[in-house]
Amino acid sequence: SAVISQKPSRDICQRGTSLTIQCQVDSQVTMMFWYRQQPGQSLTLIATANQGSEATYESGFVIDKFPISRPNLTFSTLTVSNMSPEDSSIYLCSVYEIFGSGTRLTVV
Amino acid sequence: EDKVVQSPLSLVVHEGDTVTLNCSYEVTNFRSLLWYKQEKKAPTFLFMLTSSGIEKKSGRLSSILDKKELSSILNITATQTGDSAIYLCAVEGYSGGGADGLTFGKGTHLIIQP
């Protein structure tokens, strides 16, 4: 099964700034997924990232707030833009049934 | 809209007990049901179920899917303190564009007391 390297592992950011999260997969995959887990909540799908096309966002998530890049079949980034404390969450990427190690984001 | 409901939401048992966790779902174009164990940040994959009535087993953990009842159970026998975690159930559908992402339930918070 695929191995995913996700970074950063955690970060504390000032409100109004942006953070870019990276995921590197050890094999080529067509689809990568990005999830958010707010404190005490379950995982919610943010968007699906296909190589060579625009990401597909779920209801409640918009490209301006969560721009995604997918430059090749092994790599993707998610940016959390203009952050507020409400963005404090764990962010996770996945391929197939496997998840990256997660990024714990705290916005102060 | 796809939906996953897990029960119980929390469960406290003693070491050595057997537990059964439940998951029911509604999904358009069912593809698979997955179980995960979450201890820190990242969910750890346990099982993927696609066919009804076929039990999947890994050590003390086992799971089975009932597509008629739109449900699944996860059993853990001879529980150990290391089994304490949140157990997540998720379903995967598919659309014309390929596999959809996963829809997760709220999870069962399992605590194993020594």
Side-chain angles (χ1 to χ4, degrees):
Chain A
S1 58
V3 176
I4 307 172
S5 298
Q6 182 173 344
K7 59 182 181 181
S9 174
R10 60 176 59 221
D11 207 341
I12 301 173
C13 300
Q14 297 290 323
R15 67 176 67 201
T17 63
S18 298
L19 176 72
T20 295
I21 302 166
Q22 301 179 6
C23 277
Q24 178 77 50
V25 188
D26 69 343
S27 58
Q28 294 185 338
V29 294
T30 305
M31 302 174 79
M32 292 179 70
F33 300 93
W34 287 96
Y35 293 84
R36 179 178 75 180
Q37 187 174 30
Q38 294 177 298
Q41 303 296 314
S42 194
L43 282 75
T44 301
L45 179 66
I46 297 172
T48 303
N50 290 329
Q51 197 274 331
S53 64
E54 293 284 331
T56 303
Y57 289 82
E58 297 298 304
S59 177
F61 297 96
V62 295
I63 187 171
D64 290 347
K65 177 66 176 178
F66 298 101
I68 287 171
S69 79
R70 186 80 207 276
N72 57 54
L73 290 171
T74 64
F75 187 78
S76 180
T77 68
L78 170 78
T79 299
V80 186
S81 303
N82 188 26
M83 289 183 286
S84 66
E86 291 71 36
D87 295 317
S88 298
S89 297
I90 296 171
Y91 292 86
L92 296 138
C93 62
S94 79
V95 301
Y96 307 120
E97 69 277 13
I98 304 301
F99 280 83
S101 54
T103 298
R104 187 184 299 276
L105 170 62
T106 302
V107 183
V108 297
Chain B
E1 185 177 328
D2 299 345
K3 185 178 178 182
V4 177
V5 177
Q6 291 186 246
S7 64
L9 292 181
S10 65
L11 184 59
V12 181
V13 300
H14 289 99
E15 206 167 17
D17 288 350
T18 293
V19 298
T20 298
L21 310 183
N22 302 287
C23 176
S24 63
Y25 63 89
E26 296 173 21
V27 62
T28 304
N29 296 326
F30 175 87
R31 187 180 178 116
S32 64
L33 184 144
L34 299 91
W35 284 96
Y36 290 88
K37 178 182 183 182
Q38 186 177 33
E39 294 174 273
K40 293 182 179 177
K41 287 186 299 182
T44 301
F45 172 72
L46 296 174
F47 299 111
M48 177 187 285
L49 305 163
T50 57
S51 300
S52 207
I54 298 175
E55 184 182 55
K56 292 215 172 178
K57 195 172 173 66
S58 176
R60 296 177 293 102
L61 278 66
S62 64
S63 183
I64 195 163
L65 175 68
D66 186 337
K67 291 170 82 171
K68 183 178 179 182
E69 296 296 326
L70 304 182
S71 65
S72 175
I73 60 171
L74 174 69
N75 283 319
I76 308 175
T77 60
T79 52
Q80 303 171 358
T81 54
D83 295 326
S84 295
I86 296 173
Y87 289 83
L88 296 167
C89 175
V91 292
E92 178 189 15
Y94 66 89
S95 59
D100 296 338
L102 300 176
T103 299
F104 281 84
K106 293 184 183 298
T108 293
H109 189 185
L110 177 63
I111 297 173
I112 311 296
Q113 291 183 335

mmCIF file of all heavy atoms in Angstrom, chain A residues 51-99:
data_model
loop_
_atom_site.group_PDB
_atom_site.id
_atom_site.type_symbol
_atom_site.label_atom_id
_atom_site.label_comp_id
_atom_site.label_asym_id
_atom_site.label_seq_id
_atom_site.Cartn_x
_atom_site.Cartn_y
_atom_site.Cartn_z
ATOM 1 N N GLN A 51 -4.747 15.034 -10.642
ATOM 2 C CA GLN A 51 -3.635 15.622 -11.394
ATOM 3 C C GLN A 51 -4.112 16.076 -12.758
ATOM 4 O O GLN A 51 -4.797 15.332 -13.452
ATOM 5 C CB GLN A 51 -2.501 14.610 -11.514
ATOM 6 C CG GLN A 51 -1.169 15.228 -11.899
ATOM 7 C CD GLN A 51 -0.989 15.386 -13.410
ATOM 8 O OE1 GLN A 51 -1.527 14.621 -14.173
ATOM 9 N NE2 GLN A 51 -0.238 16.393 -13.813
ATOM 10 N N GLY A 52 -3.781 17.304 -13.097
ATOM 11 C CA GLY A 52 -4.116 17.824 -14.421
ATOM 12 C C GLY A 52 -5.456 18.488 -14.519
ATOM 13 O O GLY A 52 -5.860 18.911 -15.604
ATOM 14 N N SER A 53 -6.168 18.589 -13.417
ATOM 15 C CA SER A 53 -7.457 19.281 -13.446
ATOM 16 C C SER A 53 -7.671 20.035 -12.149
ATOM 17 O O SER A 53 -6.949 19.823 -11.170
ATOM 18 C CB SER A 53 -8.600 18.288 -13.687
ATOM 19 O OG SER A 53 -8.688 17.374 -12.623
ATOM 20 N N GLU A 54 -8.651 20.893 -12.150
ATOM 21 C CA GLU A 54 -8.965 21.648 -10.946
ATOM 22 C C GLU A 54 -9.494 20.708 -9.863
ATOM 23 O O GLU A 54 -10.188 19.739 -10.160
ATOM 24 C CB GLU A 54 -10.030 22.708 -11.254
ATOM 25 C CG GLU A 54 -9.565 23.817 -12.174
ATOM 26 C CD GLU A 54 -8.676 24.818 -11.447
ATOM 27 O OE1 GLU A 54 -8.854 24.991 -10.231
ATOM 28 O OE2 GLU A 54 -7.798 25.394 -12.103
ATOM 29 N N ALA A 55 -9.191 21.041 -8.633
ATOM 30 C CA ALA A 55 -9.714 20.253 -7.517
ATOM 31 C C ALA A 55 -11.230 20.412 -7.434
ATOM 32 O O ALA A 55 -11.786 21.448 -7.831
ATOM 33 C CB ALA A 55 -9.066 20.701 -6.211
ATOM 34 N N THR A 56 -11.871 19.390 -6.944
ATOM 35 C CA THR A 56 -13.322 19.401 -6.741
ATOM 36 C C THR A 56 -13.598 19.575 -5.265
ATOM 37 O O THR A 56 -13.214 18.739 -4.450
ATOM 38 C CB THR A 56 -13.949 18.084 -7.230
ATOM 39 O OG1 THR A 56 -13.608 17.888 -8.602
ATOM 40 C CG2 THR A 56 -15.465 18.133 -7.073
ATOM 41 N N TYR A 57 -14.297 20.657 -4.917
ATOM 42 C CA TYR A 57 -14.526 21.002 -3.521
ATOM 43 C C TYR A 57 -15.906 20.544 -3.055
ATOM 44 O O TYR A 57 -16.876 20.600 -3.805
ATOM 45 C CB TYR A 57 -14.388 22.522 -3.329
ATOM 46 C CG TYR A 57 -12.972 22.986 -3.442
ATOM 47 C CD1 TYR A 57 -12.385 23.224 -4.689
ATOM 48 C CD2 TYR A 57 -12.183 23.161 -2.306
ATOM 49 C CE1 TYR A 57 -11.061 23.613 -4.805
ATOM 50 C CE2 TYR A 57 -10.855 23.559 -2.414
ATOM 51 C CZ TYR A 57 -10.304 23.780 -3.656
ATOM 52 O OH TYR A 57 -8.997 24.162 -3.762
ATOM 53 N N GLU A 58 -15.954 20.122 -1.798
ATOM 54 C CA GLU A 58 -17.219 19.733 -1.181
ATOM 55 C C GLU A 58 -17.978 20.987 -0.738
ATOM 56 O O GLU A 58 -17.399 22.071 -0.605
ATOM 57 C CB GLU A 58 -16.958 18.824 0.011
ATOM 58 C CG GLU A 58 -16.279 17.519 -0.367
ATOM 59 C CD GLU A 58 -17.104 16.678 -1.307
ATOM 60 O OE1 GLU A 58 -18.268 16.372 -0.954
ATOM 61 O OE2 GLU A 58 -16.591 16.334 -2.392
ATOM 62 N N SER A 59 -19.253 20.773 -0.492
ATOM 63 C CA SER A 59 -20.093 21.883 -0.043
ATOM 64 C C SER A 59 -19.517 22.480 1.233
ATOM 65 O O SER A 59 -19.155 21.757 2.163
ATOM 66 C CB SER A 59 -21.511 21.361 0.204
ATOM 67 O OG SER A 59 -22.335 22.377 0.710
ATOM 68 N N GLY A 60 -19.429 23.793 1.257
ATOM 69 C CA GLY A 60 -18.910 24.490 2.426
ATOM 70 C C GLY A 60 -17.436 24.816 2.349
ATOM 71 O O GLY A 60 -16.910 25.499 3.234
ATOM 72 N N PHE A 61 -16.771 24.348 1.318
ATOM 73 C CA PHE A 61 -15.339 24.629 1.132
ATOM 74 C C PHE A 61 -15.140 25.288 -0.222
ATOM 75 O O PHE A 61 -15.721 24.850 -1.216
ATOM 76 C CB PHE A 61 -14.526 23.337 1.207
ATOM 77 C CG PHE A 61 -14.609 22.646 2.539
ATOM 78 C CD1 PHE A 61 -15.508 21.615 2.732
ATOM 79 C CD2 PHE A 61 -13.797 23.039 3.588
ATOM 80 C CE1 PHE A 61 -15.606 20.979 3.959
ATOM 81 C CE2 PHE A 61 -13.870 22.406 4.819
ATOM 82 C CZ PHE A 61 -14.783 21.372 5.012
ATOM 83 N N VAL A 62 -14.320 26.340 -0.245
ATOM 84 C CA VAL A 62 -14.115 27.090 -1.479
ATOM 85 C C VAL A 62 -12.639 27.216 -1.795
ATOM 86 O O VAL A 62 -11.783 27.216 -0.896
ATOM 87 C CB VAL A 62 -14.769 28.489 -1.410
ATOM 88 C CG1 VAL A 62 -16.282 28.364 -1.306
ATOM 89 C CG2 VAL A 62 -14.209 29.286 -0.251
ATOM 90 N N ILE A 63 -12.368 27.374 -3.066
ATOM 91 C CA ILE A 63 -10.990 27.400 -3.546
ATOM 92 C C ILE A 63 -10.212 28.581 -2.995
ATOM 93 O O ILE A 63 -9.014 28.457 -2.722
ATOM 94 C CB ILE A 63 -10.970 27.379 -5.087
ATOM 95 C CG1 ILE A 63 -9.536 27.235 -5.622
ATOM 96 C CG2 ILE A 63 -11.620 28.620 -5.667
ATOM 97 C CD1 ILE A 63 -9.459 26.983 -7.116
ATOM 98 N N ASP A 64 -10.870 29.721 -2.806
ATOM 99 C CA ASP A 64 -10.159 30.885 -2.302
ATOM 100 C C ASP A 64 -9.627 30.656 -0.893
ATOM 101 O O ASP A 64 -8.601 31.198 -0.520
ATOM 102 C CB ASP A 64 -11.067 32.118 -2.312
ATOM 103 C CG ASP A 64 -11.365 32.600 -3.717
ATOM 104 O OD1 ASP A 64 -10.677 32.143 -4.658
ATOM 105 O OD2 ASP A 64 -12.277 33.419 -3.891
ATOM 106 N N LYS A 65 -10.339 29.884 -0.119
ATOM 107 C CA LYS A 65 -9.944 29.620 1.263
ATOM 108 C C LYS A 65 -8.971 28.434 1.358
ATOM 109 O O LYS A 65 -8.051 28.443 2.163
ATOM 110 C CB LYS A 65 -11.199 29.315 2.092
ATOM 111 C CG LYS A 65 -10.945 28.939 3.539
ATOM 112 C CD LYS A 65 -10.368 30.097 4.336
ATOM 113 C CE LYS A 65 -10.229 29.702 5.811
ATOM 114 N NZ LYS A 65 -9.626 30.810 6.590
ATOM 115 N N PHE A 66 -9.176 27.433 0.498
ATOM 116 C CA PHE A 66 -8.366 26.205 0.544
ATOM 117 C C PHE A 66 -7.822 25.873 -0.849
ATOM 118 O O PHE A 66 -8.170 24.838 -1.426
ATOM 119 C CB PHE A 66 -9.200 25.039 1.065
ATOM 120 C CG PHE A 66 -9.708 25.201 2.461
ATOM 121 C CD1 PHE A 66 -11.036 25.578 2.696
ATOM 122 C CD2 PHE A 66 -8.886 24.973 3.552
ATOM 123 C CE1 PHE A 66 -11.514 25.724 3.989
ATOM 124 C CE2 PHE A 66 -9.350 25.113 4.851
ATOM 125 C CZ PHE A 66 -10.666 25.485 5.065
ATOM 126 N N PRO A 67 -6.956 26.715 -1.396
ATOM 127 C CA PRO A 67 -6.405 26.384 -2.709
ATOM 128 C C PRO A 67 -5.565 25.111 -2.649
ATOM 129 O O PRO A 67 -4.827 24.880 -1.690
ATOM 130 C CB PRO A 67 -5.551 27.613 -3.064
ATOM 131 C CG PRO A 67 -5.331 28.322 -1.784
ATOM 132 C CD PRO A 67 -6.481 28.013 -0.882
ATOM 133 N N ILE A 68 -5.689 24.304 -3.689
ATOM 134 C CA ILE A 68 -5.003 23.013 -3.760
ATOM 135 C C ILE A 68 -4.182 22.972 -5.037
ATOM 136 O O ILE A 68 -4.635 23.387 -6.094
ATOM 137 C CB ILE A 68 -6.029 21.857 -3.761
ATOM 138 C CG1 ILE A 68 -6.650 21.693 -2.367
ATOM 139 C CG2 ILE A 68 -5.396 20.550 -4.220
ATOM 140 C CD1 ILE A 68 -7.812 20.734 -2.317
ATOM 141 N N SER A 69 -2.987 22.449 -4.925
ATOM 142 C CA SER A 69 -2.181 22.199 -6.117
ATOM 143 C C SER A 69 -1.944 20.712 -6.259
ATOM 144 O O SER A 69 -1.875 19.977 -5.275
ATOM 145 C CB SER A 69 -0.849 22.950 -6.060
ATOM 146 O OG SER A 69 0.070 22.253 -5.225
ATOM 147 N N ARG A 70 -1.808 20.276 -7.514
ATOM 148 C CA ARG A 70 -1.542 18.859 -7.794
ATOM 149 C C ARG A 70 -0.653 18.826 -9.041
ATOM 150 O O ARG A 70 -1.063 18.451 -10.116
ATOM 151 C CB ARG A 70 -2.869 18.131 -8.048
ATOM 152 C CG ARG A 70 -2.726 16.665 -8.206
ATOM 153 C CD ARG A 70 -2.595 15.940 -6.877
ATOM 154 N NE ARG A 70 -1.870 14.701 -7.020
ATOM 155 C CZ ARG A 70 -2.419 13.553 -7.389
ATOM 156 N NH1 ARG A 70 -3.708 13.490 -7.669
ATOM 157 N NH2 ARG A 70 -1.684 12.485 -7.492
ATOM 158 N N PRO A 71 0.622 19.184 -8.848
ATOM 159 C CA PRO A 71 1.501 19.352 -10.013
ATOM 160 C C PRO A 71 1.891 18.057 -10.701
ATOM 161 O O PRO A 71 2.269 18.080 -11.871
ATOM 162 C CB PRO A 71 2.736 20.032 -9.409
ATOM 163 C CG PRO A 71 2.727 19.627 -7.983
ATOM 164 C CD PRO A 71 1.284 19.523 -7.591
ATOM 165 N N ASN A 72 1.844 16.937 -9.970
ATOM 166 C CA ASN A 72 2.177 15.645 -10.572
ATOM 167 C C ASN A 72 1.442 14.540 -9.827
ATOM 168 O O ASN A 72 0.655 14.805 -8.918
ATOM 169 C CB ASN A 72 3.700 15.425 -10.566
ATOM 170 C CG ASN A 72 4.287 15.518 -9.172
ATOM 171 O OD1 ASN A 72 3.840 14.831 -8.260
ATOM 172 N ND2 ASN A 72 5.289 16.379 -8.999
ATOM 173 N N LEU A 73 1.712 13.305 -10.218
ATOM 174 C CA LEU A 73 0.946 12.175 -9.683
ATOM 175 C C LEU A 73 1.415 11.709 -8.312
ATOM 176 O O LEU A 73 0.860 10.749 -7.768
ATOM 177 C CB LEU A 73 1.006 10.998 -10.667
ATOM 178 C CG LEU A 73 0.230 11.199 -11.960
ATOM 179 C CD1 LEU A 73 0.530 10.077 -12.941
ATOM 180 C CD2 LEU A 73 -1.266 11.285 -11.696
ATOM 181 N N THR A 74 2.423 12.365 -7.727
ATOM 182 C CA THR A 74 2.913 11.935 -6.416
ATOM 183 C C THR A 74 2.860 13.028 -5.358
ATOM 184 O O THR A 74 3.276 12.806 -4.219
ATOM 185 C CB THR A 74 4.379 11.447 -6.514
ATOM 186 O OG1 THR A 74 5.219 12.545 -6.897
ATOM 187 C CG2 THR A 74 4.523 10.298 -7.514
ATOM 188 N N PHE A 75 2.347 14.189 -5.699
ATOM 189 C CA PHE A 75 2.483 15.323 -4.780
ATOM 190 C C PHE A 75 1.239 16.208 -4.820
ATOM 191 O O PHE A 75 0.627 16.392 -5.890
ATOM 192 C CB PHE A 75 3.716 16.151 -5.170
ATOM 193 C CG PHE A 75 4.062 17.247 -4.211
ATOM 194 C CD1 PHE A 75 4.715 16.970 -3.022
ATOM 195 C CD2 PHE A 75 3.748 18.567 -4.505
ATOM 196 C CE1 PHE A 75 5.055 17.983 -2.138
ATOM 197 C CE2 PHE A 75 4.083 19.592 -3.634
ATOM 198 C CZ PHE A 75 4.741 19.296 -2.449
ATOM 199 N N SER A 76 0.886 16.766 -3.658
ATOM 200 C CA SER A 76 -0.210 17.728 -3.586
ATOM 201 C C SER A 76 0.019 18.651 -2.402
ATOM 202 O O SER A 76 0.674 18.277 -1.416
ATOM 203 C CB SER A 76 -1.557 17.018 -3.429
ATOM 204 O OG SER A 76 -2.627 17.960 -3.367
ATOM 205 N N THR A 77 -0.494 19.865 -2.513
ATOM 206 C CA THR A 77 -0.482 20.790 -1.400
ATOM 207 C C THR A 77 -1.868 21.339 -1.162
ATOM 208 O O THR A 77 -2.668 21.489 -2.097
ATOM 209 C CB THR A 77 0.485 21.974 -1.632
ATOM 210 O OG1 THR A 77 -0.021 22.803 -2.683
ATOM 211 C CG2 THR A 77 1.883 21.501 -1.952
ATOM 212 N N LEU A 78 -2.136 21.645 0.102
ATOM 213 C CA LEU A 78 -3.355 22.337 0.522
ATOM 214 C C LEU A 78 -2.912 23.576 1.272
ATOM 215 O O LEU A 78 -2.086 23.483 2.186
ATOM 216 C CB LEU A 78 -4.194 21.443 1.435
ATOM 217 C CG LEU A 78 -5.377 22.124 2.137
ATOM 218 C CD1 LEU A 78 -6.543 22.304 1.167
ATOM 219 C CD2 LEU A 78 -5.821 21.332 3.354
ATOM 220 N N THR A 79 -3.437 24.718 0.896
ATOM 221 C CA THR A 79 -3.156 25.960 1.605
ATOM 222 C C THR A 79 -4.395 26.376 2.378
ATOM 223 O O THR A 79 -5.502 26.362 1.830
ATOM 224 C CB THR A 79 -2.730 27.065 0.633
ATOM 225 O OG1 THR A 79 -1.532 26.662 -0.045
ATOM 226 C CG2 THR A 79 -2.467 28.369 1.367
ATOM 227 N N VAL A 80 -4.205 26.713 3.632
ATOM 228 C CA VAL A 80 -5.280 27.296 4.431
ATOM 229 C C VAL A 80 -5.002 28.790 4.457
ATOM 230 O O VAL A 80 -3.977 29.220 5.014
ATOM 231 C CB VAL A 80 -5.317 26.706 5.855
ATOM 232 C CG1 VAL A 80 -6.537 27.223 6.608
ATOM 233 C CG2 VAL A 80 -5.323 25.184 5.800
ATOM 234 N N SER A 81 -5.874 29.563 3.841
ATOM 235 C CA SER A 81 -5.614 30.982 3.613
ATOM 236 C C SER A 81 -6.332 31.862 4.622
ATOM 237 O O SER A 81 -7.406 31.505 5.129
ATOM 238 C CB SER A 81 -6.075 31.372 2.204
ATOM 239 O OG SER A 81 -5.457 30.589 1.223
ATOM 240 N N ASN A 82 -5.717 33.020 4.883
ATOM 241 C CA ASN A 82 -6.344 34.035 5.735
ATOM 242 C C ASN A 82 -6.961 33.385 6.972
ATOM 243 O O ASN A 82 -8.157 33.469 7.214
ATOM 244 C CB ASN A 82 -7.397 34.808 4.941
ATOM 245 C CG ASN A 82 -7.944 35.996 5.706
ATOM 246 O OD1 ASN A 82 -7.285 36.546 6.581
ATOM 247 N ND2 ASN A 82 -9.158 36.397 5.371
ATOM 248 N N MET A 83 -6.109 32.721 7.726
ATOM 249 C CA MET A 83 -6.580 31.865 8.810
ATOM 250 C C MET A 83 -7.221 32.628 9.955
ATOM 251 O O MET A 83 -6.827 33.762 10.287
ATOM 252 C CB MET A 83 -5.419 31.028 9.335
ATOM 253 C CG MET A 83 -4.984 29.948 8.352
ATOM 254 S SD MET A 83 -3.691 28.905 9.004
ATOM 255 C CE MET A 83 -2.284 30.019 8.891
ATOM 256 N N SER A 84 -8.198 31.978 10.567
ATOM 257 C CA SER A 84 -8.840 32.455 11.785
ATOM 258 C C SER A 84 -8.797 31.313 12.791
ATOM 259 O O SER A 84 -8.541 30.154 12.421
ATOM 260 C CB SER A 84 -10.284 32.871 11.494
ATOM 261 O OG SER A 84 -11.049 31.735 11.140
ATOM 262 N N PRO A 85 -9.070 31.590 14.059
ATOM 263 C CA PRO A 85 -9.057 30.509 15.058
ATOM 264 C C PRO A 85 -9.966 29.343 14.710
ATOM 265 O O PRO A 85 -9.687 28.205 15.106
ATOM 266 C CB PRO A 85 -9.492 31.223 16.339
ATOM 267 C CG PRO A 85 -9.012 32.623 16.154
ATOM 268 C CD PRO A 85 -9.207 32.915 14.689
ATOM 269 N N GLU A 86 -11.024 29.596 13.953
ATOM 270 C CA GLU A 86 -11.952 28.534 13.564
ATOM 271 C C GLU A 86 -11.301 27.527 12.614
ATOM 272 O O GLU A 86 -11.832 26.429 12.407
ATOM 273 C CB GLU A 86 -13.197 29.123 12.892
ATOM 274 C CG GLU A 86 -14.115 29.910 13.820
ATOM 275 C CD GLU A 86 -13.516 31.232 14.253
ATOM 276 O OE1 GLU A 86 -12.815 31.873 13.429
ATOM 277 O OE2 GLU A 86 -13.726 31.643 15.405
ATOM 278 N N ASP A 87 -10.175 27.878 12.038
ATOM 279 C CA ASP A 87 -9.449 26.958 11.157
ATOM 280 C C ASP A 87 -8.560 25.992 11.937
ATOM 281 O O ASP A 87 -7.948 25.088 11.335
ATOM 282 C CB ASP A 87 -8.602 27.739 10.153
ATOM 283 C CG ASP A 87 -9.439 28.551 9.190
ATOM 284 O OD1 ASP A 87 -10.462 28.023 8.707
ATOM 285 O OD2 ASP A 87 -9.079 29.713 8.906
ATOM 286 N N SER A 88 -8.473 26.161 13.230
ATOM 287 C CA SER A 88 -7.677 25.239 14.054
ATOM 288 C C SER A 88 -8.270 23.845 13.943
ATOM 289 O O SER A 88 -9.425 23.616 14.331
ATOM 290 C CB SER A 88 -7.666 25.699 15.504
ATOM 291 O OG SER A 88 -7.063 26.971 15.628
ATOM 292 N N SER A 89 -7.508 22.934 13.410
ATOM 293 C CA SER A 89 -7.994 21.579 13.094
ATOM 294 C C SER A 89 -6.798 20.693 12.808
ATOM 295 O O SER A 89 -5.665 21.166 12.715
ATOM 296 C CB SER A 89 -8.891 21.584 11.846
ATOM 297 O OG SER A 89 -10.059 22.342 12.020
ATOM 298 N N ILE A 90 -7.093 19.428 12.607
ATOM 299 C CA ILE A 90 -6.126 18.523 12.004
ATOM 300 C C ILE A 90 -6.481 18.405 10.521
ATOM 301 O O ILE A 90 -7.637 18.189 10.173
ATOM 302 C CB ILE A 90 -6.157 17.134 12.663
ATOM 303 C CG1 ILE A 90 -5.739 17.234 14.127
ATOM 304 C CG2 ILE A 90 -5.247 16.157 11.917
ATOM 305 C CD1 ILE A 90 -5.939 15.944 14.908
ATOM 306 N N TYR A 91 -5.486 18.564 9.680
ATOM 307 C CA TYR A 91 -5.682 18.443 8.240
ATOM 308 C C TYR A 91 -4.949 17.185 7.768
ATOM 309 O O TYR A 91 -3.802 16.936 8.142
ATOM 310 C CB TYR A 91 -5.169 19.682 7.508
ATOM 311 C CG TYR A 91 -6.006 20.899 7.813
ATOM 312 C CD1 TYR A 91 -5.750 21.684 8.933
ATOM 313 C CD2 TYR A 91 -7.083 21.255 7.003
ATOM 314 C CE1 TYR A 91 -6.540 22.782 9.235
ATOM 315 C CE2 TYR A 91 -7.868 22.348 7.293
ATOM 316 C CZ TYR A 91 -7.595 23.101 8.415
ATOM 317 O OH TYR A 91 -8.386 24.196 8.711
ATOM 318 N N LEU A 92 -5.624 16.398 6.939
ATOM 319 C CA LEU A 92 -5.093 15.115 6.520
ATOM 320 C C LEU A 92 -5.265 14.939 5.020
ATOM 321 O O LEU A 92 -6.301 15.285 4.450
ATOM 322 C CB LEU A 92 -5.844 13.966 7.219
ATOM 323 C CG LEU A 92 -5.711 13.905 8.732
ATOM 324 C CD1 LEU A 92 -7.039 13.575 9.363
ATOM 325 C CD2 LEU A 92 -4.674 12.865 9.118
ATOM 326 N N CYS A 93 -4.254 14.367 4.400
ATOM 327 C CA CYS A 93 -4.398 13.956 3.008
ATOM 328 C C CYS A 93 -4.526 12.435 2.975
ATOM 329 O O CYS A 93 -4.121 11.746 3.915
ATOM 330 C CB CYS A 93 -3.207 14.403 2.165
ATOM 331 S SG CYS A 93 -1.640 13.696 2.669
ATOM 332 N N SER A 94 -5.085 11.928 1.899
ATOM 333 C CA SER A 94 -5.204 10.474 1.770
ATOM 334 C C SER A 94 -5.144 10.056 0.312
ATOM 335 O O SER A 94 -5.472 10.833 -0.596
ATOM 336 C CB SER A 94 -6.496 9.960 2.394
ATOM 337 O OG SER A 94 -7.592 10.169 1.541
ATOM 338 N N VAL A 95 -4.691 8.836 0.108
ATOM 339 C CA VAL A 95 -4.813 8.148 -1.171
ATOM 340 C C VAL A 95 -5.370 6.767 -0.887
ATOM 341 O O VAL A 95 -4.949 6.115 0.066
ATOM 342 C CB VAL A 95 -3.466 8.060 -1.922
ATOM 343 C CG1 VAL A 95 -2.905 9.439 -2.182
ATOM 344 C CG2 VAL A 95 -2.472 7.229 -1.170
ATOM 345 N N TYR A 96 -6.336 6.363 -1.676
ATOM 346 C CA TYR A 96 -7.040 5.105 -1.428
ATOM 347 C C TYR A 96 -7.486 5.078 0.024
ATOM 348 O O TYR A 96 -8.144 6.005 0.484
ATOM 349 C CB TYR A 96 -6.147 3.899 -1.778
ATOM 350 C CG TYR A 96 -5.591 3.958 -3.161
ATOM 351 C CD1 TYR A 96 -4.213 3.979 -3.382
ATOM 352 C CD2 TYR A 96 -6.414 4.012 -4.288
ATOM 353 C CE1 TYR A 96 -3.684 4.042 -4.651
ATOM 354 C CE2 TYR A 96 -5.890 4.081 -5.567
ATOM 355 C CZ TYR A 96 -4.532 4.094 -5.738
ATOM 356 O OH TYR A 96 -4.002 4.169 -7.009
ATOM 357 N N GLU A 97 -7.105 4.063 0.783
ATOM 358 C CA GLU A 97 -7.582 3.980 2.170
ATOM 359 C C GLU A 97 -6.527 4.476 3.163
ATOM 360 O O GLU A 97 -6.741 4.414 4.358
ATOM 361 C CB GLU A 97 -7.958 2.535 2.508
ATOM 362 C CG GLU A 97 -6.790 1.559 2.597
ATOM 363 C CD GLU A 97 -6.359 1.024 1.247
ATOM 364 O OE1 GLU A 97 -6.788 1.571 0.214
ATOM 365 O OE2 GLU A 97 -5.591 0.050 1.238
ATOM 366 N N ILE A 98 -5.421 4.967 2.672
ATOM 367 C CA ILE A 98 -4.297 5.338 3.527
ATOM 368 C C ILE A 98 -4.256 6.850 3.747
ATOM 369 O O ILE A 98 -4.429 7.611 2.796
ATOM 370 C CB ILE A 98 -2.972 4.873 2.910
ATOM 371 C CG1 ILE A 98 -3.018 3.362 2.640
ATOM 372 C CG2 ILE A 98 -1.801 5.235 3.817
ATOM 373 C CD1 ILE A 98 -3.263 2.521 3.869
ATOM 374 N N PHE A 99 -3.978 7.238 4.998
ATOM 375 C CA PHE A 99 -3.884 8.646 5.347
ATOM 376 C C PHE A 99 -2.443 9.049 5.631
ATOM 377 O O PHE A 99 -1.633 8.236 6.091
ATOM 378 C CB PHE A 99 -4.729 8.933 6.593
ATOM 379 C CG PHE A 99 -6.188 9.074 6.293
ATOM 380 C CD1 PHE A 99 -7.000 7.952 6.184
ATOM 381 C CD2 PHE A 99 -6.764 10.315 6.093
ATOM 382 C CE1 PHE A 99 -8.337 8.069 5.885
ATOM 383 C CE2 PHE A 99 -8.104 10.447 5.788
ATOM 384 C CZ PHE A 99 -8.890 9.320 5.690
#
